[in-house]
Amino acid sequence: MAYSEKVVDHYEHPRNVGSMDKDSGDVGTGLVGAPACGDVMKLQIKVSPEGIIEDAKFKTFGCGSAIASSSLVTEWVKGKTLDEAAAIKNTDIAHELALPPVKIHCSVLAEDAIKAAIADYRKKSGQGEDEAEQAAG
Amino acid sequence: MTNITLARAPGQPIYLDYQATTPCDPRVVEKMIPYFFEKFGNPHSRNHRYGWEAEEAVEIGREQVADIIGADAKEIIFTSGATESNNLAIKGVAHFYKDKKDHIVTVVTEHKCVLDTCRHLEQEGFRVTYLPVQTNGLIDLAELEAVVTDKTAIVSVMAVNNEIGVIQPLAEIGAICRKKGAFFHTDCAQAVGKIPLDVNAMNIDLMSISGHKLYGPKGIGALYVRRRPRVRLVPMINGGGQERGMRSGTLATPLCVGLGEACRLAKAEMGAEGERLHMLRDRLLNGLKARLPEIYVNGDLEQRIPGNINISFAFVEGEGLMMGVKDLAVSSGSACTSASLEPSYVLRALGLDAEMAHTSLRFGLGRFTTEADIDYAIGHVAEAVEHLRAMSPLWDMHLEGVDIKSIQWAEH
């Protein structure tokens, strides 16, 4: 199977590979996927007091499309508010990277990773519970 | 050994996928050429010289095929390839003996064309036993002996597995089948020309052979069908009654010539070539082990053809790795490209976890593989694995001492 140029570029020159301290209060971590399925993504975001994503890092076990999807979203989320980042859709990722149909799940996983990282940050900073209470109330 | 080299165009990867197919040896091509134009006759034409010279060429090919497996030329049926041979052997025997016997025994790691044939026969009402394999990829002979009964028409066990290269104990299987009165069929697509085979010493009743796996042309194979004691088949292709009525259709003279010559060369060079490949494979494995921790060989290392090695690179996904080793043409046990996302059923049958099955690469070495190819491959693979481990969250967990099996993963 031939990969798109953008997938190859992200695979060969992945952006923002790395880890941040998952116990830090301003870091949210999302770990999604499963080794048995051949894809695991870890996405971390560092959020400013103003609620802006200042930095993002990823580590991914998976095929080239999974690596490219996670690399791409670290670029996209930087500078965004949490709500803006949460609005990133897998279809945007798939479109940007020209993923073939069998690789759509990679973009779904990347979207899940953003949402998981945001949820983790909100839970830590107490926002998650507020929202849950609001929803329940 | 040959001094012929396989030229590569700029950007063309090094070919290390000899279990998928092999190049047709130029010496084979040369023998085939005259039978396309100058000697184009129908080998079944009995009335003129055109037919006679084609028939003579086909019969020489048949003898050469027979010779490499210790058979008589009369016992060789030309087919389109090993898939057809496997279909003909299993369906042909099952159908012919169906009034007396309704049971088939095969193995879970067989090629899809054997497994799918057996599934098809199950739908027709036959019973099929799929033997498991041990963690080294070999069957347990006691288990085989226990399942073969007087209702078993045929036992089909491949000689060499296409993914992990392991060699099943053919002589022992043959002895069990003979004792129990079941025919023994073996898919030898990956074995002919790689390991010594003898249909009599091994009590093999039917054997499938492929042309393009042994440096012959694609589109031809053969089925060995024993004459004493006689094995009978219901043909799948009806027509003019060629090939003792078992496979009608005009023979493709150049392909028969090519398969024969490929067998002749393989037999002549098997010993020296086997040693050379064994040395190259050890060099590859040792070179990779010296560079990379946490790599594992899949399948038995001793009972294996010299030209195959299948390695799991823990914490690195196979398809991602294949993208990294773009200067090599190899295969992965990860089936991420398929819609199912299921990793190799062969590796799973060894008891490998799905995550380990996802991390495997198959290296197939062959006649035109050089030491320089292997040395390049070692460095290239090691770099790609290191690059990917540096971005693998599972590798981090491993370094931190976290057991990835202890984590509750959300299966997707």
Side-chain angles (χ1 to χ4, degrees):
Chain A
M1 187 177 56
Y3 291 93
S4 72
E5 273 179 37
K6 282 180 179 160
V7 169
V8 173
D9 183 46
H10 278 280
Y11 175 88
E12 288 181 350
H13 311 286
R15 330 294 199 253
N16 309 306
V17 176
S19 295
M20 293 186 276
D21 179 8
K22 65 180 188 302
D23 298 324
S24 173
D26 58 354
V27 172
T29 303
L31 183 65
V32 296
C37 304
D39 298 295
V40 177
M41 283 183 194
K42 187 180 81 168
L43 183 75
Q44 293 186 302
I45 51 171
K46 188 176 181 206
V47 185
S48 74
E50 294 76 36
I52 305 291
I53 298 174
E54 288 180 320
D55 199 4
K57 296 280 183 202
F58 87 95
K59 289 231 170 180
T60 289
F61 163 85
C63 63
S65 302
I67 289 167
S69 296
S70 34
S71 172
L72 177 69
V73 297
T74 58
E75 284 192 314
W76 278 3
V77 298
K78 277 198 216 178
K80 283 195 165 67
T81 66
L82 295 178
D83 287 340
E84 284 167 351
I88 294 171
K89 292 273 168 289
N90 83 285
T91 45
D92 302 333
I93 302 164
H95 183 260
E96 172 67 15
L97 295 172
L99 297 182
V102 295
K103 292 298 180 189
I104 296 302
H105 70 276
C106 298
S107 62
V108 173
L109 207 57
E111 184 191 317
D112 290 350
I114 302 172
K115 293 200 158 67
I118 293 171
D120 181 60
Y121 171 78
R122 284 186 164 152
K123 196 175 147 200
K124 271 188 192 167
S125 60
Q127 293 178 36
E129 281 109 85
D130 292 350
E131 277 181 15
E133 275 167 28
Q134 281 166 14
Chain B
M1 268 186 288
T2 172
N3 53 8
I4 301 166
T5 56
L6 189 60
R8 266 186 290 127
Q12 185 99 334
I14 294 169
Y15 191 75
L16 287 176
D17 205 8
Y18 279 81
Q19 276 84 55
T21 192
T22 61
C24 190
D25 193 299
R27 295 170 289 178
V28 171
V29 176
E30 196 182 336
K31 289 274 189 217
M32 292 168 62
I33 297 284
Y35 296 94
F36 286 101
F37 187 65
E38 296 99 314
K39 302 178 179 181
F40 65 91
N42 184 326
H44 312 292
S45 294
R46 290 285 161 80
N47 308 324
H48 47 67
R49 207 175 136 173
Y50 293 93
W52 301 335
E53 67 185 6
E55 186 190 20
E56 192 191 342
V58 164
E59 294 313 316
I60 290 171
R62 197 188 302 278
E63 276 169 27
Q64 290 168 324
V65 174
D67 188 49
I68 199 171
I69 60 169
D72 188 281
K74 294 191 190 74
E75 300 173 306
I76 302 297
I77 305 297
F78 285 114
T79 66
S80 62
T83 292
E84 185 190 330
S85 297
N86 286 334
N87 270 265
L88 177 57
I90 301 168
K91 287 179 188 165
V93 165
H95 288 150
F96 193 91
Y97 297 93
K98 70 175 190 291
D99 292 340
K100 291 190 183 116
K101 300 184 173 197
D102 67 344
H103 183 224
I104 297 159
V105 176
T106 188
V107 182
V108 291
T109 52
E110 290 294 310
H111 192 272
K112 286 272 179 184
C113 65
V114 167
L115 295 175
D116 198 46
T117 295
C118 289
R119 292 262 179 251
H120 184 84
L121 289 167
E122 275 185 289
Q123 286 170 358
E124 290 181 18
F126 290 92
R127 293 176 299 122
V128 180
T129 300
Y130 299 91
L131 283 177
V133 293
Q134 305 168 91
T135 53
N136 62 359
L138 302 176
I139 63 164
D140 180 338
L141 291 166
E143 259 180 281
L144 172 68
E145 184 142 17
V147 301
V148 180
T149 70
D150 57 359
K151 290 299 228 183
T152 307
I154 187 165
V155 173
S156 181
V157 180
M158 71 195 332
V160 171
N161 184 270
N162 48 305
E163 288 192 35
I164 53 176
V166 298
I167 305 166
Q168 298 289 353
L170 298 182
E172 290 82 354
I173 297 168
I176 291 170
C177 294
R178 188 57 58 91
K179 187 172 81 183
K180 299 255 185 171
F183 290 128
F184 176 28
H185 166 249
T186 177
D187 173 3
C188 281
Q190 299 285 352
V192 176
K194 317 288 162 59
I195 55 171
L197 294 165
D198 187 310
V199 291
N200 293 317
M202 293 170 164
N203 286 311
I204 294 164
D205 297 305
L206 301 112
M207 181 195 290
S208 301
I209 298 168
S210 168
H212 74 101
K213 308 285 192 193
L214 81 150
Y215 310 94
K218 292 170 180 63
I220 188 148
L223 180 65
Y224 159 79
V225 185
R226 179 173 287 284
R227 271 156 60 94
R228 286 191 198 85
R230 188 171 175 202
V231 180
R232 304 186 69 180
L233 302 175
V234 174
M236 293 196 302
I237 298 176
N238 303 106
Q242 291 92 347
E243 301 299 275
R244 293 165 56 207
M246 289 190 252
R247 208 279 189 179
S248 288
T250 298
L251 286 173
T253 313
L255 299 181
C256 297
V257 168
L259 177 59
E261 179 66 6
C263 287
R264 188 187 71 76
L265 289 171
K267 190 185 178 203
E269 299 175 0
M270 194 188 305
E273 177 65 3
E275 277 178 30
R276 193 184 73 89
L277 289 176
H278 207 291
M279 188 271 291
L280 288 180
R281 186 191 66 195
D282 288 350
R283 189 180 181 92
L284 175 62
L285 181 59
N286 294 336
L288 290 172
K289 275 183 174 169
R291 284 280 300 267
L292 298 167
E294 300 292 328
I295 70 172
Y296 303 94
V297 173
N298 297 312
D300 199 286
L301 192 54
E302 299 306 318
Q303 291 302 311
R304 179 191 289 258
I305 54 163
N308 169 281
I309 192 82
N310 186 308
I311 302 174
S312 281
F313 298 86
F315 317 113
V316 169
E317 196 272 333
E319 198 193 330
L321 181 53
M322 279 214 294
M323 197 173 162
V325 295
K326 59 180 190 301
D327 297 343
L328 305 179
V330 292
S331 283
S332 170
S334 168
C336 236
T337 38
S338 76
S340 72
L341 302 180
E342 282 297 316
S344 150
Y345 68 94
V346 172
L347 297 180
R348 293 305 304 274
L350 306 183
L352 229 66
D353 294 338
E355 49 260 46
M356 283 303 272
H358 273 297
T359 69
S360 79
L361 287 188
R362 176 184 73 181
F363 299 90
L365 287 60
R367 190 174 285 171
F368 306 104
T369 306
T370 65
E371 205 170 285
D373 291 343
I374 295 302
D375 289 345
Y376 183 82
I378 293 166
H380 192 49
V381 171
E383 271 171 34
V385 171
E386 283 161 0
H387 173 68
L388 290 169
R389 280 182 176 169
M391 63 169 118
S392 167
L394 304 180
W395 178 246
D396 283 352
M397 290 175 192
H398 167 70
L399 294 181
E400 289 162 15
V402 177
D403 179 7
I404 62 169
K405 289 187 184 62
S406 69
I407 295 173
Q408 282 278 316
W409 299 101
E411 306 269 331
H412 57 285

